Amino acid sequence: MQHETVIVLDFGGQYNQLIARRVRENNVYCEIYSYKTDLSVIKAKNPKGITFTGGPNSVYLEDSPTIDPEIFTWGVPVLGICYGSQLMMHLLGGHVCRAPEREYGKTEVFVDNNSKLFTDVQPSTICWMSHNDYIKKLPEGFEVCGHTAKCPYAAIQNVEKKFYGVQFHPEVNHTERGFDMLGNFLYNVCECRGDWTMERYAETA
């Protein structure tokens, strides 16, 4: 049986394995690839969705990890997390720069419940922030769906193209409803069926 597959593209973040684990805990099969992987390999997987991980770099520096913008033409939903969100904004015509104040630790985030990403999440929720840069200007077609006292674009979306980004880390336990947010991306945005479990994988293997 061919399972639905979600790809985690690793941009050097420390939580790449944890993101994949959370996807699998939502009963969706997941594979991790480096951002250096040829796009033809990713496309051949026929992914239901793609997640960009965080990373320690700044997207506007020449030697920072990046990816061919062609990936945004596939019609595949994308969720950018922290650096991944900033990279998506940078590549699509937004503006990312050094934040006036660094955000680190548990932070109150105000989210829009009308967003598919935040279905059944309280309008005020605690998330884990860890960033020096922030999104200053959104690309055309994007809108804000979450903010903090210091970060105007803590969550963004392009509903038509199914592109979403969060400045915080939904994969860690410190983000109170992070598991549900990832589940919302997988089921509400990517329209996954949830046809995979670790037990079935063990049996197949």
Side-chain angles (χ1 to χ4, degrees):
M1 179 182 176
Q2 183 64 42
H3 292 290
E4 298 172 323
T5 301
V6 166
I7 300 296
V8 172
L9 278 182
D10 178 21
F11 289 92
Q14 60 179 318
Y15 295 132
N16 55 11
Q17 294 287 345
L18 185 55
I19 295 169
R21 177 180 170 183
R22 296 291 183 245
V23 172
R24 293 170 188 145
E25 286 174 348
N26 269 290
N27 296 330
V28 176
Y29 181 66
C30 180
E31 294 182 2
I32 302 172
Y33 289 90
S34 164
Y35 71 93
K36 299 177 182 178
T37 305
D38 193 281
L39 281 191
S40 63
V41 176
I42 306 299
K43 194 171 187 178
K45 292 291 179 179
N46 193 28
K48 291 283 288 187
I50 298 170
T51 298
F52 291 1
T53 74
N57 303 89
S58 293
V59 298
Y60 45 79
L61 299 180
E62 282 188 15
D63 58 349
S64 293
T66 189
I67 198 160
D68 191 327
E70 180 205 324
I71 200 167
F72 299 115
T73 68
W74 294 352
V76 177
V78 177
L79 172 63
I81 296 175
C82 204
Y83 178 90
S85 177
Q86 295 170 3
L87 180 63
M88 179 162 53
M89 297 298 94
H90 179 67
L91 293 175
L92 292 176
H95 181 56
V96 177
C97 63
R98 193 81 171 175
E101 288 185 70
R102 184 189 185 206
E103 279 187 310
Y104 184 82
K106 292 182 178 180
T107 305
E108 185 177 23
V109 180
F110 303 95
V111 301
D112 180 0
N113 295 119
N114 293 315
S115 169
K116 289 184 177 181
L117 202 60
F118 301 119
T119 301
D120 296 328
V121 176
Q122 294 296 322
S124 169
T125 185
I126 299 299
C127 300
W128 184 261
M129 289 282 191
S130 177
H131 65 97
N132 294 312
D133 297 330
Y134 82 140
I135 300 160
K136 188 172 184 179
K137 177 176 174 286
L138 295 179
E140 185 177 346
F142 280 84
E143 61 185 359
V144 62
C145 56
H147 69 278
T148 73
K150 298 177 182 177
C151 184
Y153 302 125
I156 49 89
Q157 62 185 8
N158 183 322
V159 176
E160 181 185 357
K161 295 188 175 180
K162 298 184 177 181
F163 296 158
Y164 291 79
V166 292
Q167 187 60 70
F168 52 85
H169 289 273
E171 70 276 15
V172 301
N173 288 330
H174 297 306
T175 297
E176 292 179 349
R177 298 296 300 278
F179 182 78
D180 299 319
M181 295 172 191
L182 287 172
N184 284 338
F185 175 69
L186 296 170
Y187 289 98
N188 296 347
V189 180
C190 301
E191 299 179 357
C192 291
R193 297 187 306 270
D195 63 359
W196 183 88
T197 65
M198 193 64 211
E199 290 76 11
R200 288 182 189 169
Y201 176 72
E203 289 171 8
T204 305

